[in-house]
Amino acid sequence: MVKLKVEKSHERRPQAVAEVSSKGRGRPLADLVEKIEHADPGLATEKKLSSAAMRAGELVRAMRKDAGLSQSQLAEKLDVSQARVSEIESGVGIQGPTWDLMERISVACGKTLGVAASSDDLELAAHMPMAM
């Protein structure tokens, strides 16, 4: 058995900043998860991964930020906890938010939500101002 010695300190350790750049070649993590889902659906389920949940989370985060809301402010409008908003934005779980919740989020952010052929179109549709 290994014993660890823990010391408390009020000073922060210096952190090295890594220079990482994909120079625009990067792909969303949801694309990788989608490949895993197709290659091995059992693994995706076992690891609680869902490309749909991740894409929904990205969309929720974009709508919230575009509306100038914090996670806490959005949570208050939806009558859910800030932790639940964080979970949704992180794409946690294998199911993701329901369509009903996505509609409530879009209304709270002053957006309309529509279904489109690609995730890029869906993101644009979600950012259109609501018709009054």
Side-chain angles (χ1 to χ4, degrees):
M1 180 154 108
V2 177
K3 291 186 178 183
L4 296 175
K5 182 178 179 183
V6 178
E7 294 179 12
K8 291 184 179 181
S9 173
H10 296 291
E11 296 178 26
R12 294 186 65 128
R13 290 186 305 178
Q15 295 179 348
V17 178
E19 292 185 28
V20 178
S21 173
S22 62
K23 296 181 182 168
R25 297 183 309 257
R27 304 274 316 239
L29 180 59
D31 289 352
L32 173 62
V33 172
E34 186 174 7
K35 286 182 178 183
I36 293 169
E37 288 170 333
H38 290 296
D40 188 350
L43 178 63
T45 302
E46 176 187 328
K47 299 296 181 186
K48 296 185 178 168
L49 297 172
S50 168
S51 61
M54 289 178 158
R55 290 181 202 284
E58 291 167 2
L59 184 58
V60 169
R61 182 180 297 111
M63 287 192 292
R64 176 182 61 77
K65 286 187 173 187
D66 191 55
L69 298 172
S70 68
Q71 287 184 345
S72 296
Q73 290 168 323
L74 179 58
E76 187 175 318
K77 287 180 175 236
L78 299 172
D79 196 27
V80 300
S81 68
Q82 179 274 327
R84 177 63 179 129
V85 172
S86 178
E87 287 174 355
I88 293 167
E89 290 187 1
S90 299
V92 173
I94 58 171
Q95 194 170 13
T98 63
W99 180 257
D100 178 60
L101 182 55
M102 288 296 291
E103 285 183 322
R104 289 175 46 212
I105 291 168
S106 69
V107 169
C109 293
K111 311 295 179 198
T112 56
L113 190 63
V115 178
S118 75
S119 62
D120 291 337
D121 292 340
L122 181 60
E123 185 172 341
L124 292 174
H127 283 88
M128 296 186 327
M130 286 186 68
M132 295 291 177

